[in-house]
Amino acid sequence: REMVKLTAIVILKWNGEATDPHMCGLASDLTQFGYFERPVVRDMLNFVSRTIVKRTQPGQRQTVEHQEYLCHAFNKEGLAAITFADKTYPRRSAFCVINKVLDDYVEKFGQSWRNHTSDSNEGNLILEAALKEYQDPSKADNLLRVQKELDETKIVLHKTIDSVLARGEKLDNLVAKSSDLSVASQMFYRTARKQNQCCKMM
């Protein structure tokens, strides 16, 4: 089986910098991880998605390097999406996928997301279909024909997730306070952080 290039796609409602975003849908392919690793990976996907999207302003595109993964995020007027892809997956293709799933989501659900006050999984089916369809980045590139020119020079690049955080914010503190992470996931994070290999799967 080929290595999964696109591990996850998540859509979230951005609630400003002071409040965590709400999930509107998530799809992930965790087949490259062992059965017992998957709950921890799922927790980390949720945590990293919220952490990055919360710090992505409306209209902004960001790419955050996290171990062997690149997390690509775009906030489109308060509705945001993030993909987790390996480094061989072209950034341009990842942002094409993001544009497509945001358009598909709004086409199906309209502006009802603006009234969300808690997490929802209504976008899961759209994201699951996209995750399957766009494992091959050349299929994502076909979307360029119907999308406006993507100005890659305006994408903000971060070498680590820490560099996305505001001054004074510490990743360790966010992990400790996160409701996305189970006790087991928090313990895993702390152990991995000590060994300087935080979240090899993320």
Side-chain angles (χ1 to χ4, degrees), residues 61 92 96 99 143-151:
R61 294 179 193 274
R92 189 180 190 81
C96 285
N99 287 357
L143 297 172
L144 276 175
R145 294 174 192 160
V146 294
Q147 292 183 9
K148 288 178 185 163
E149 195 60 25
L150 227 178
D151 187 352

Side-chain angles (χ1 to χ4, degrees), residues 11-12 19 25 38 44 75 98 101 139 142 150 170 186:
I11 292 178
L12 305 100
T19 311
R38 289 176 198 172
M44 291 304 290
N75 183 339
I98 284 173
V101 297
K139 289 189 177 172
N142 290 338
L150 227 178
K170 294 271 188 291
Q186 289 190 19

Side-chain angles (χ1 to χ4, degrees), residues 75-94:
N75 183 339
K76 186 179 183 181
E77 299 168 14
L79 187 66
I82 185 167
T83 62
F84 292 78
D86 74 18
K87 289 179 182 174
T88 64
Y89 199 92
R91 187 170 64 207
R92 189 180 190 81
S93 305

Side-chain angles (χ1 to χ4, degrees), residues 110-123:
Q111 298 297 313
S112 61
W113 60 271
R114 294 186 184 276
N115 302 318
H116 286 193
T117 54
S118 61
D119 289 346
S120 158
N121 60 7
E122 66 184 10

